[in-house]
Amino acid sequence: MKIGLIGLGIMGKPMAKNLVKAGYDLVVRDINQPAVDELVALGASSAESNAAVAAQVDIVITMLPNSPHVKEVLLGQNGVIEGAKPGTVVIDMSSIAPLSSREFYAALEAKGVDMLDAPVSGGEPKAIDGTMSVMVGGKKEIFDRCYDVMKSMAGSVVYVGEIGAGNIAKLCNQVVVAINISAVAEALTLAQKAGVSPDLVYQAIRGGLAGSTVMDAKAPMMMDRNFNPGFRIDLHIKDLNNVMETSHGVGVPMPITAQVMEMMQTIKLDGCGVEDHSSLVKYYEKLANLEVTR
């Protein structure tokens, strides 16, 4: 089975490396030529256009920032739709609006090309070690056919329903992550202001009910002032915008999510948009006039 992967960013590049490691014949494309060169040096090949990628492969994986980028790559000039053969499968692993997934699916299906929406969770560290969680929407038989390919990049690959369901699950994931990061930041700020070591508070509570994967991943980053992006504030704002658009469409009020999104918008205005979402702690630090440290 020959695979194409378009989008070699923070997540896409390590995902591509894991596909090569798993033995797949891989064709890559990205506007960042050094990233392409790095994959070619590992044994992948490259193509000059998105259509040229699709023409060579059985499965096209896309890993892109947002819905407009996916639309351009799939349906734009020299897009995947122009090169794909009937029977080709597109696996969009980007995190985009569910309605956009359904729109792209319909356009591809009309050309005999199938599609799964399969967004991922785990950030760069889990993309690197191949333990991401993947939540997948689309036809079950297409999911079954592509399962091994996705599993070569992930620790968990779960089918959640028809097309668009993967991105609904990802939006739910992003709600829980955002609110959890906010709670961790708020608690550590309280500890610092009250004169108790945030690190010792973290060690004391991480093994109890308050403990979480988010806490273990983000609390050390906050205390170490390490805001190198595993997942950028800008991208989390994008996801929460998609959450709010979707929730308004189905009639679900989400007051806490809306508040956390506005908090992220606030620190974005301070220049933190390109930082890891653990930098949400800076919002609380600004309010309390302190810096959370070990």
Side-chain angles (χ1 to χ4, degrees):
M1 188 177 290
K2 195 167 185 178
I3 312 296
L5 196 152
I6 300 170
L8 300 174
I10 287 176
M11 299 292 287
K13 185 164 72 171
M15 289 163 59
K17 289 181 178 179
N18 284 329
L19 286 169
V20 171
K21 192 183 302 182
Y24 287 105
D25 189 355
L26 185 67
V27 182
V28 297
R29 175 164 167 74
D30 194 274
I31 58 175
N32 179 9
Q33 190 58 43
V36 172
D37 293 342
E38 188 175 342
L39 263 298
V40 169
L42 293 174
S45 57
S46 64
E48 292 300 314
S49 70
N50 301 316
V53 172
Q56 301 178 53
V57 302
D58 306 295
I59 295 174
V60 179
I61 296 170
T62 48
M63 190 61 179
L64 300 160
N66 205 355
S67 304
H69 308 93
V70 178
K71 185 172 186 176
E72 178 62 26
V73 164
L74 295 183
L75 308 181
Q77 185 175 6
N78 288 321
V80 167
I81 197 169
E82 294 185 13
K85 308 170 291 294
T88 302
V89 177
V90 170
I91 307 176
D92 179 36
M93 303 188 81
S94 320
S95 295
I96 66 174
L99 289 179
S100 295
S101 292
R102 291 166 184 163
E103 173 194 342
F104 306 153
Y105 170 82
L108 292 167
E109 187 180 42
K111 296 284 189 176
V113 176
D114 225 308
M115 175 178 165
L116 300 172
D117 67 308
V120 306
S121 178
E124 184 182 20
K126 289 185 179 293
I128 290 170
D129 64 19
T131 60
M132 305 181 304
S133 295
V134 185
M135 45 223 86
V136 189
K139 295 175 184 172
K140 182 61 164 58
E141 62 269 26
I142 302 299
F143 168 84
D144 291 339
R145 190 197 312 170
C146 300
Y147 177 84
D148 288 344
V149 172
M150 293 183 284
K151 194 66 172 63
S152 70
M153 300 176 283
S156 167
V157 180
V158 178
Y159 179 75
V160 291
E162 295 302 314
I163 194 74
N167 274 302
I168 292 289
K170 177 59 187 285
L171 295 184
C172 294
N173 180 88
Q174 296 304 80
V175 168
V176 173
V177 170
I179 294 172
N180 205 336
I181 290 174
S182 174
V184 171
E186 190 167 295
L188 295 184
T189 302
L190 171 62
Q192 187 85 54
K193 193 73 170 184
V196 179
S197 163
D199 187 38
L200 294 180
V201 169
Y202 162 59
Q203 297 298 337
I205 69 175
R206 65 189 292 260
L209 190 59
S212 68
T213 301
V214 169
M215 178 182 283
D216 284 340
K218 301 304 175 181
M221 294 179 72
M222 293 175 188
M223 294 183 290
D224 292 339
R225 321 304 299 167
N226 172 20
F227 302 119
N228 294 326
F231 191 77
R232 299 196 305 271
I233 285 283
D234 282 340
L235 291 177
H236 212 141
I237 290 172
K238 177 264 295 184
D239 286 344
L240 296 185
N241 273 320
N242 285 336
V243 168
M244 300 312 296
E245 178 185 332
T246 303
S247 69
H248 293 161
V250 299
V252 176
M254 303 194 72
I256 301 177
T257 301
Q259 181 64 33
V260 175
M261 183 172 72
E262 292 304 319
M263 291 155 55
M264 289 184 175
Q265 294 279 12
T266 300
I267 63 167
K268 176 180 178 176
L269 292 174
D270 288 339
C272 300
V274 297
E275 295 182 350
D276 187 79
H277 47 184
S278 59
S279 68
L280 186 58
V281 72
K282 293 182 179 180
Y283 176 85
Y284 292 98
E285 293 174 336
K286 195 176 196 179
L287 295 180
N289 192 29
L290 55 75
E291 186 174 280
V292 171
T293 64
R294 290 185 191 270

